[in-house]
Each structure stands twice: as C-alpha cells, then as structure tokens.
Amino acid sequence: TRTLPVLSGNPNEPVVQISSGLNHSCAVQRNGQVRCWGNNANGRLGNGALVNSLEPVIVPGLVEMIQVSTGRTHTCALQRNGNVFCWGSGANGELGNADFNDHHLPVQVQNLPPAKLIIAGDYISCALSEDTQVFCWGKGADGQLASGLFSDSYQPQSSTILQRGHNNLPQVSAGLDFNSYPGVIHIPGIVLAP
C-alpha cells in the first residue's frame, strides 16, 4: 500500500498535491478541499483573512478540487469539472475575474473553457484547456501572455503562439520571475517566445 502525507490538524485526510509560492504553500487533500499556510498578504491563503498562518487553513467554498498552483502573491485551484478559481493579489489581473482587485476568498476565472491544468507564476496565471489550448491572464506588458498584445489582462487570453488541438502539449509552466524572461512559455521539450 502507498502512504500519502497528511497535514497537521487533519491527519485523516491525505494530501494528493502540493504547491509552494514565494512565501506561502497550499495543498489539495484527497477529499477535494484546499488548505494553505504561510504569508497571507493580499489574501493569498484564500480564507478571507489577512493573518499569516503556521497551520494549514481551509480555503472555504472549494469542493472537488484536483490541483492547486501558488504564484508570487496569488493562488489558483482547478476543480474536477474544469472550473478555475483564484485568490490573493489581483493588481495585474492574475485572478482572471474581470477586475484588478485583491480577493481574500476564491473567485472564479471568467471566460475560460474547461481546463485540465493550471499554473500560477509571477503576476500571471495560465491554463491548458481540455482541448489543449493555452490561455493566460495577468501581467502582460512584456508579452508574457503570448496573446500578441503587450498589456495586462484581467481575463484569459488565448495564445497566438500555440494553436488548438496539439494533443502532445502535456503542461504549461510560468516562471516565478516571469518578467525577466518576457513572453516565455515552457512546455517540456519546447520553449516558445514571441
């Protein structure tokens, strides 16, 4: 049998995935809940407060989550049905909910088709849709969104570099200091830049 790690304070619910950001971390538990701990500036722990936590705190309102990704000052999570929720700093649009505000509780990303993978980077978020199209939102002044535009976006932008239907694209990665490498999208074995 395989033993899965557990979080302190909740020993009966194993962790199935974990992500660490600049100074906060989050985990998805087998029951589909998300718990976060660490620095809570901008509400990046998603529990509605702004108090740092040494212990994992539950992110309310999230059910059937299968992935979490922590960025510099925000966090995103993927639901089993393909919906994406983000929380924390939204100053560059990285929450994808049609505003540039911080949110201390999860908000659903708007105008995004069902996703199968997400990534939160340095002021940017990306998703790989079920039909393998890449969408990014957030800081885009240097072309990071790969949309052909040089501006921030608070809504998902379809990549003009990567075309729909390439089933050999298993994942998307956004670097922590994305602005140092303008417009780079990493797919294992391929690096693309506009």
Side-chain angles (χ1 to χ4, degrees):
T1 62
R2 187 173 134 202
T3 303
L4 295 172
V6 296
L7 296 172
S8 64
N10 196 4
N12 297 322
E13 200 55 55
V15 170
V16 295
Q17 192 255 330
I18 191 167
S19 178
S20 292
L22 180 64
N23 50 21
H24 74 292
S25 298
C26 295
V28 176
Q29 295 179 287
R30 187 171 52 195
N31 65 2
Q33 292 183 328
V34 175
R35 292 181 185 259
C36 299
W37 60 96
N39 185 302
N40 200 14
N42 309 99
R44 66 190 79 170
L45 299 186
N47 66 339
L50 291 174
V51 178
N52 297 347
S53 180
L54 296 174
E55 293 293 321
V57 295
I58 193 162
V59 180
L62 297 181
V63 295
E64 297 187 2
M65 306 315 283
I66 59 172
Q67 185 198 352
V68 65
S69 183
T70 52
R72 178 182 288 266
T73 58
H74 74 291
T75 307
C76 294
L78 175 63
Q79 200 168 40
R80 184 170 310 286
N81 65 7
N83 289 334
V84 176
F85 296 84
C86 298
W87 57 92
S89 175
N92 298 286
E94 57 266 56
L95 303 184
N97 68 316
D99 70 40
F100 290 105
N101 299 318
D102 293 355
H103 288 271
H104 307 152
L105 292 167
V107 292
Q108 186 170 353
V109 176
Q110 302 296 307
N111 302 313
L112 181 68
K116 65 179 181 179
L117 183 128
I118 56 167
I119 187 73
D122 193 10
Y123 313 120
I124 186 172
S125 303
C126 294
L128 184 63
S129 69
E130 289 178 351
D131 68 352
T132 65
Q133 189 172 7
V134 175
F135 291 85
C136 294
W137 57 96
K139 190 166 183 70
D142 294 316
Q144 304 93 309
L145 302 181
S147 64
L149 303 174
F150 291 94
S151 61
D152 296 354
S153 178
Y154 55 54
Q155 293 191 54
Q157 300 294 310
S158 176
S159 170
T160 58
I161 296 172
L162 301 172
Q163 299 302 313
R164 183 184 304 237
H166 294 286
N167 293 323
N168 60 344
L169 303 179
Q171 72 179 36
V172 175
S173 177
L176 184 60
D177 191 5
F178 216 108
N179 298 324
S180 296
Y181 306 97
V184 174
I185 292 180
H186 173 259
I187 298 161
I190 302 170
V191 175
L192 303 168

